[in-house]
Amino acid sequence: MKKYFCLISTLAWLISCNSGLNITVENPIDFDRSEMVEISIEKLMNLPAGKEYIVTDRQGEIIPSQITYDGKLIFLTDIKAKETLSYMVKTGEPQIFLPKVYARFITERKDDFAWENDRVAFRIYGPALISIDGPSNGLDFWYKRTNDLIIDKWYKDDLAGIRSYHDDHGEGLDDYKVGRTLGGGMMAPFENDMLTLNENFVSQEIFENGPLRTTFKLTYKNISVGERTFSESRTFSIDAGAQLTKVIQEYGVEDSLTVAAGLVKRMKDDDAFAAYTERGTAAIIYEEPENEKAGKVFVGMVFPKGLEKIISDTYTITHDINKKKETHSHVLGVTTYYPNQPVTYYTGYGWEKFGFPTLDAFQKYIEVFSLSIEEPLIINIL
């Protein structure tokens, strides 16, 4: 009997290895969610080597997947509250999937760096723009209302004089104002209750570019705060289907540093919605003043490790080029940066013309996003 049992077990193991690995994905929270499943490729070593990994759903259909630069197999799941879904990972021939994310260094437009997914788009200004418009290292939002990737198209048409991306031609527009601010959620030193803004990035490196996740790093010139001078860099990534881009902020400091990530406020007395979950995740939401071009836009940041405080801050600067004085305000999320401990957070927006008709709808998205960080998907390899 024992010999038969061993033989059956061995055959079952061989069949499992030949057909693939069964994966279950469980949603532990009471909300539906759509997000990326991540599995370390080290956990897939029982599969035959030499071919691509393929993910199939419970109907046996191949679904888009990607091996990330840091060694993870990722694929997107749409999973209902408390639901458990089954997938299979096996090896097979390489697959080509329609990309849902994209990033590029835009040398033809003053060294912009732009990135997007099938929901949202972002831009940061590059070094060539400093001599024309002065420094501006805040985050710019491009409002999209299409699932198509539009960065290359919008730049090409704008530079050719065919149509401006500052006007909505059916796909969205660039209507967010940055200037000498943090824009839509960048971080800066905040020692002695004073922001110290760096200049535009000086170098860029793309680690991966789809089809489901794009990741890149922007490096800045050294920044001086008081008597200290140190390095600064930001690593960004964005997943298909997400409203928020991930930011990993790094400073080369030897001692702790007070820092703040902020959303620019259009009027000094504007209110922002701020909340903490029971486990400490912090979120800040700000509603842009409605205008005829864009309508209603809601911007937000999420901090998985929480914040020390959330405040409003106003300052006056002199523009580097036109020498005019400018007054800017932010709602700031303040925390402490410790040596060799990068700060990770998320920032992005929702637009009434593309899935978020009300502030409540965007707040709900941020709530589920925050809970999803605290209660990650439960993944089992069978």
Side-chain angles (χ1 to χ4, degrees), residues 90-243:
K90 54 187 177 180
T91 56
E93 296 303 316
Q95 303 289 310
I96 298 176
F97 301 111
L98 182 69
K100 294 188 175 183
V101 294
Y102 181 62
R104 188 162 76 86
F105 183 37
I106 316 292
T107 55
E108 68 270 28
R109 219 304 294 199
K110 307 299 181 184
D111 296 344
D112 284 356
F113 199 99
W115 67 106
E116 64 178 317
N117 66 3
D118 51 336
R119 299 289 311 169
V120 290
F122 305 86
R123 169 172 65 173
I124 286 185
Y125 301 110
L129 194 63
I130 295 178
S131 61
I132 299 171
D133 201 34
S136 178
N137 73 337
L139 180 62
D140 188 21
F141 296 141
W142 279 17
Y143 307 147
K144 285 179 58 172
R145 56 188 181 109
T146 174
N147 295 126
D148 296 336
L149 301 179
I150 49 79
I151 284 174
D152 284 346
K153 178 183 178 182
W154 284 16
Y155 273 112
K156 181 180 179 181
D157 288 351
D158 187 82
L159 292 170
I162 297 173
R163 57 178 62 87
S164 169
Y165 52 63
H166 292 288
D167 298 315
D168 189 348
H169 302 279
E171 296 175 323
L173 77 163
D174 170 23
D175 191 57
Y176 191 77
K177 305 298 187 295
V178 178
R180 195 65 172 123
T181 73
L182 298 172
M186 289 297 86
M187 180 170 281
F190 193 59
E191 292 281 270
N192 300 315
D193 295 331
M194 181 178 296
L195 283 173
T196 301
L197 303 179
N198 207 335
E199 294 187 357
N200 305 31
F201 68 88
V202 296
S203 66
Q204 49 80 34
E205 181 181 7
I206 296 177
F207 299 139
E208 58 192 341
N209 213 355
L212 298 178
R213 175 177 293 170
T214 188
T215 304
F216 62 93
K217 183 176 183 178
L218 302 181
T219 301
Y220 295 78
K221 74 172 190 177
N222 288 351
I223 185 171
S224 296
V225 179
E227 298 181 354
R228 294 190 287 176
T229 299
F230 43 87
S231 62
E232 179 181 14
S233 67
R234 296 166 175 157
T235 299
F236 296 85
S237 65
I238 192 167
D239 288 347
Q243 296 294 135

Side-chain angles (χ1 to χ4, degrees), residues 21 23 37-47 53 66-68 70-75 89 213 379 381:
L21 296 176
I23 309 293
V37 175
E38 296 185 353
I39 303 172
S40 170
I41 58 173
E42 294 179 355
K43 296 181 179 180
L44 305 176
M45 293 307 176
N46 285 337
L47 291 173
Y53 293 118
Q66 176 183 337
I67 298 296
T68 66
D70 54 350
K72 299 172 183 175
L73 171 68
I74 63 172
F75 58 92
V89 179
R213 175 177 293 170
I379 301 168
I381 300 176

Side-chain angles (χ1 to χ4, degrees), residues 258-323:
T258 303
V259 296
L263 300 171
V264 61
K265 296 172 63 177
R266 305 307 175 186
M267 294 176 284
K268 183 178 179 181
D269 296 327
D270 280 356
D271 291 328
F273 170 80
Y276 291 86
T277 67
E278 291 183 1
R279 297 193 183 184
T281 298
I284 301 174
I285 297 174
Y286 174 74
E287 182 175 359
E288 284 281 302
E290 185 175 357
N291 65 52
E292 185 175 347
K293 261 192 173 185
K296 295 180 180 179
V297 177
F298 317 105
V299 297
M301 300 183 292
V302 175
F303 301 86
K305 300 295 185 181
L307 293 167
E308 294 171 9
K309 57 183 177 180
I310 297 173
I311 63 172
S312 292
D313 176 69
T314 300
Y315 59 91
T316 300
I317 62 165
T318 300
H319 193 281
D320 288 62
I321 302 300
N322 61 31
K323 304 305 179 184

